[in-house]
Amino acid sequence: MNKLISIIIPVYNLEDYLEDCFNSILAQNYSNYEVIIVNDGSNDSSEDICKRFTAIDSRFKYFRQAKAGVSTARNNGIHQSRGEYIVFMDADDTIAANHLTNLLNYSENDIVFTGFTIVELNKRLQRNIQLSLNGTFELNEHIILQISKAGLFGSTWNKLFKKEIISRYNIYFNPDISFREDLIFTFDYIRHCRKIGISSACTYYYQLREKSLIHSRIQFDSYKCMINELTKRISELNNTSLKNYYSPIITTDINISLISLFLQKKEKKIQIEYLHDIKNNPFYQPIGRLRKKDKYLTRIIKYIPSHILIFLLKYGTKLLYK
């Protein structure tokens, strides 16, 4: 196995983290890769650091775009990539020395999921997110639910994708969405998969810091666009068994998104408008296959009056997702 892997990394003002990220790539025990760095209009010293690494190693390739967001940066990275496989990274994260090898061990599948470690900023608290499964699995409701409940589904950075599937089905990140764009990308991709590879190894290190759920600031318009896109996809699957696979994933994601969204200061009228959209969405319901806390939270969101719910979302439910 000596297939080329394209590692796509969007960068925006992350000068304090880039060296650790890039050095963890250089330490890989698999060498046939290229690193596609897309600078999304940084105004700190990120560009200098990126260029330094392109001078150190020809596998690092640097591109710059005017500020357009992470989705556009990843799309440009896909366009520039030459690899048979694609791996995404956040520029403030790192990977274990065997990360690429770990993913390639299951590369005969259409997509590969691996575990990851959440690392707090002070590096004293670490938590592994994983399934105790290793091997090849048929795409079915049971395995999708296990992946979802384990927290492995939505992000793109703990996966190995095939460039051929991305190109054939014209899969891309929606530039209008700046929150959970990776969930929609994964959703669009996995619809075209038959076999899934899963590794229990936690070889990706996700740095929690300010980009975490509770601290992130989500634009309401971006959030609404995300909900509309998810609703459209569920509607497309309405008469297929695939709807049963993905409804729990989307319901869970809406719960998490709402908590983060309502921690921000917004006019109550706008918040009630968004809650109304969710409450009346036909696929948003307390599905029995949800994790217990998601099922309870869904009932709260669905049935409690909006003015009370706003208070609960701000102060009562965030503890569930710390």
Side-chain angles (χ1 to χ4, degrees), residues 273-299:
E273 175 188 333
Y274 279 77
L275 284 172
H276 181 78
D277 287 346
I278 297 303
K279 286 171 177 285
N280 292 287
N281 195 307
F283 71 75
Y284 187 72
Q285 54 185 314
I287 303 169
R289 296 181 301 276
L290 290 174
R291 293 181 300 177
K292 188 176 294 185
K293 65 182 179 182
D294 283 309
K295 187 158 57 175
Y296 293 154
L297 186 52
T298 303
R299 287 196 180 107

Side-chain angles (χ1 to χ4, degrees), residues 13 28 38 145 157 164 184 190 203 238 243 282 297 313:
N13 288 352
Q28 291 300 294
V38 183
L145 286 172
W157 35 255
E164 187 269 333
I184 295 173
I190 205 168
T203 54
N238 202 34
K243 181 179 179 181
L297 186 52
L313 285 169

Side-chain angles (χ1 to χ4, degrees), residues 4 18 32 39 45 57 92 94 99 121 135 147 155 159 180 194 198 222 243 249 259-260 264 271 298 309:
L4 179 65
L18 288 176
N32 193 20
N39 185 351
S45 64
D57 194 311
D92 50 352
T94 59
H99 180 64
L121 185 60
I147 291 169
S155 302
K159 299 173 179 64
R180 304 309 282 125
R194 297 181 61 190
I198 298 177
S222 179
K243 181 179 179 181
I249 296 170
I259 293 169
S260 186
Q264 304 171 34
Q271 293 178 329
T298 303
L309 182 55

Side-chain angles (χ1 to χ4, degrees), residues 130-171:
Q130 63 193 137
L131 270 174
S132 355
L133 295 174
N134 291 283
T136 294
F137 301 88
E138 295 287 339
L139 178 68
N140 57 50
E141 183 177 355
H142 176 69
I143 198 67
I144 288 293
L145 286 172
Q146 286 194 69
I147 291 169
S148 174
K149 288 181 178 181
L152 296 175
F153 187 90
S155 302
T156 50
W157 35 255
N158 64 322
K159 299 173 179 64
L160 181 77
F161 298 92
K162 286 187 174 178
K163 174 77 176 288
E164 187 269 333
I165 292 177
I166 292 173
S167 300
R168 189 198 317 169
Y169 296 104
N170 193 28
I171 302 167

Side-chain angles (χ1 to χ4, degrees), residues 96-114:
N98 64 334
H99 180 64
L100 298 182
T101 302
N102 174 41
L103 292 169
L104 284 171
N105 285 338
Y106 305 93
S107 61
E108 72 277 6
N109 298 287
D110 298 316
I111 187 172
V112 182
F113 291 75
T114 190

Side-chain angles (χ1 to χ4, degrees), residues 173-223:
F173 292 88
N174 188 329
D176 295 325
I177 301 176
S178 59
F179 176 73
R180 304 309 282 125
E181 73 289 335
D182 43 359
L183 168 73
I184 295 173
F185 182 92
T186 302
F187 184 93
D188 289 344
Y189 182 96
I190 205 168
R191 289 168 61 182
H192 305 291
C193 297
R194 297 181 61 190
K195 290 187 177 293
I196 298 174
I198 298 177
S199 168
S200 63
C202 296
T203 54
Y204 190 96
Y205 302 118
Y206 178 84
Q207 309 296 326
L208 199 56
R209 63 177 205 91
E210 293 86 356
K211 70 181 179 183
S212 66
L213 166 69
I214 298 302
H215 295 101
S216 61
R217 297 196 60 79
I218 306 164
Q219 297 298 317
F220 271 67
D221 289 342
S222 179
Y223 174 81

